[in-house]
C-alpha cells in the first residue's frame, strides 16, 4: 500500500518567512497563485499555510479526482493553503519521479473514487491515499522506467509545441487569405 512508501509533511509557515503562495492545478501542476487567479487570494496571515519543498507532493483533497496533484519541481519551496495535503516519498524505497508518473495515470484517477470520502463533495484524505495499493518495482527498475517515461513526455511536449506553432501559422495564413492580402492563383 502507498502508506508504506510515503510520509505526510505538515510544516507550517510559522515565521511567515516564505511568501511565494502556490496552487496546484490539474493542467499545469504547481503555479504561483497569482497566475491562476490574476490576483492575490491568499489570507493576509500566511503563518498557518503549509510549506512545500522541491521533490514533495501536494494536492487539494477535493480536487484530486480531476488531477490537481503534483510534484514540486519548478520552485525550491513555496506555501500552500492549509487545506492542501503535502507528502513526500521514502527515497530509499520509492523515487518521487516514478511515483509522480504513477499518480498521473488513468489507472490512478480511475481508482481514486474508491478511496474518497464525503457526502457533498468527495475528498481524498491522506489516509485514503495511503490505502491505495500500487505495484512498486525495485529502485533500479523505477529509475529505468522514469527515464523512459521522461523521454516520452519530452517528445510529446515537443510535438505539442510543434502543433501549436502550426496552428498559429495556419491562423495567420487564413487571415491573410480571407483579407485578400495573399491571393491564390
Amino acid at each position: 500500500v502507498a502508506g508504506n512508501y510515503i510520509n505526510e509533511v505538515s510544516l507550517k509557515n510559522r515565521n511567515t518567512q516564505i511568501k511565494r503562495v502556490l496552487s496546484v492545478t490539474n493542467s499545469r501542476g504547481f503555479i504561483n497563485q497569482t497566475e491562476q487567479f490574476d490576483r492575490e487570494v491568499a489570507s493576509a496571515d500566511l503563518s498557518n499555510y503549509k510549506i512545500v519543498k522541491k521533490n514533495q507532493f501536494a494536492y487539494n483533497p477535493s480536487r484530486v479526482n480531476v488531477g490537481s496533484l503534483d510534484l514540486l519541481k519548478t520552485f525550491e519551496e513555496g506555501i500552500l493553503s492549509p487545506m492542501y495535503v503535502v507528502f513526500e516519498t521514502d527515497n530509499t524505497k520509492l523515487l518521487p519521479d516514478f511515483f509522480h508518473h504513477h499518480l498521473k495515470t488513468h489507472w490512478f484517477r480511475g481508482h481514486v473514487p474508491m478511496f474518497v470520502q464525503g457526502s457533498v463533495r468527495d475528498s481524498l484524505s491522506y489516509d485514503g491515499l495511503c490505502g491505495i495499493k500500487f505495484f512498486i518495482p525495485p529502485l533500479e527498475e523505477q529509475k529505468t522506467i522514469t527515464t523512459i517515461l521522461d523521454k516520452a513526455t519530452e517528445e510529446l511536449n515537443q510535438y505539442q509545441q510543434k502543433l501549436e506553432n502550426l496552428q498559429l501559422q495556419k491562423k495567420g495564413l487564413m487571415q491573410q487569405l480571407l483579407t485578400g492580402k495573399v491571393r491564390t492563383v
Side-chain angles (χ1 to χ4, degrees):
V1 292
N4 295 335
Y5 299 92
I6 62 175
N7 302 302
E8 188 170 17
V9 179
S10 295
L11 190 59
K12 301 283 185 178
N13 192 29
R14 294 279 181 235
N15 305 5
T16 63
Q17 72 274 21
I18 302 173
K19 304 290 186 207
R20 177 181 283 129
V21 181
L22 301 174
S23 289
V24 181
T25 68
N26 58 348
S27 59
R28 294 171 46 213
F30 277 97
I31 60 169
N32 280 312
Q33 192 178 66
T34 53
E35 288 180 49
Q36 184 175 11
F37 298 106
D38 294 325
R39 61 187 167 85
E40 190 71 44
V41 296
S43 167
D45 177 15
L46 301 176
S47 65
N48 204 31
Y49 275 51
K50 291 182 178 178
I51 296 173
V52 60
K53 296 183 179 186
K54 195 171 202 167
N55 288 320
Q56 290 180 336
F57 293 84
Y59 69 93
N60 178 334
S62 298
R63 299 205 24 91
V64 73
N65 60 327
V66 294
S68 294
L69 181 154
D70 204 20
L71 172 64
L72 184 59
K73 295 294 237 177
T74 50
F75 306 103
E76 286 301 315
E77 63 184 6
I79 54 174
L80 295 160
S81 162
M83 72 180 174
Y84 278 86
V85 172
V86 178
F87 68 94
E88 60 192 5
T89 62
D90 177 346
N91 293 333
T92 64
K93 301 177 189 173
L94 178 61
L95 299 175
D97 290 323
F98 176 83
F99 197 50
H100 181 247
H101 282 295
H102 197 65
L103 294 174
K104 293 297 181 179
T105 63
H106 293 291
W107 180 93
F108 174 74
R109 282 202 212 135
H111 282 76
V112 166
M114 294 185 298
F115 295 91
V116 297
Q117 303 151 344
S119 55
V120 176
R121 188 167 198 173
D122 289 339
S123 181
L124 180 66
S125 67
Y126 176 73
D127 289 338
L129 177 65
C130 285
I132 298 177
K133 291 183 180 180
F134 294 99
F135 169 72
I136 308 293
L139 283 176
E140 280 307 311
E141 194 172 340
Q142 290 179 42
K143 287 177 188 173
T144 304
I145 291 169
T146 300
T147 300
I148 292 168
L149 291 175
D150 285 347
K151 285 180 183 176
T153 301
E154 184 180 326
E155 191 174 336
L156 283 172
N157 289 341
Q158 289 172 354
Y159 282 123
Q160 184 63 41
Q161 185 62 50
K162 191 174 185 177
L163 175 63
E164 289 170 13
N165 290 340
L166 287 171
Q167 287 172 330
L168 277 174
Q169 186 179 8
K170 175 186 169 188
K171 184 178 177 182
L173 184 57
M174 283 179 59
Q175 191 171 12
Q176 289 179 350
L177 287 168
L178 293 172
T179 61
K181 193 172 184 180
V182 172
R183 305 198 61 86
T184 59
V185 181

